[in-house]
């Protein structure tokens, strides 16, 4: 059905990842975890940097790119 939030889209890890991507998108240091200011795990770092870059290039929302 249209208008429904996808499973996992209303909390948990999705919100955490969106916050990290938003931090990179806004120009914060991409080499640090956006929550704890420590070096991030390699996989989320690459994912977050990629989505932030795509959001800048395409002007699509972070939400749409993630989902």
């Amino acid at each position: 059905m249209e208008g429904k939030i996808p499973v996992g889209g209303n909390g948990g890890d999705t919100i955490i990842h969106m916050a990290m991507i938003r931090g990179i998108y806004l120009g914060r240091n991409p080499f640090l975890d956006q929550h704890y200011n420590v070096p991030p795990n390699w996989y989320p770092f690459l994912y977050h940097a990629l989505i932030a870059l795509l959001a800048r290039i395409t002007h699509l929302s972070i939400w749409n790119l993630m989902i």
Side-chain angles (χ1 to χ4, degrees):
M1 296 179 108
E2 286 189 40
K4 288 198 166 198
I5 295 175
V7 173
N10 61 348
D13 287 346
T14 303
I15 301 301
I16 298 297
H17 290 296
M18 286 182 75
M20 291 182 180
I21 292 166
R22 183 174 177 270
I24 294 169
Y25 180 85
L26 293 174
R28 296 185 191 133
N29 186 347
F31 297 105
L32 295 176
D33 182 291
Q34 301 300 310
H35 292 289
Y36 304 110
N37 225 20
V38 297
N41 181 304
W42 73 272
Y43 167 73
F45 162 73
L46 294 175
Y47 173 73
H48 298 150
L50 175 64
I51 298 297
L53 178 65
L54 288 173
R56 280 270 179 210
I57 292 171
T58 64
H59 301 287
L60 294 173
S61 74
I62 291 170
W63 170 263
N64 286 337
L65 290 169
M66 284 182 65
I67 301 300

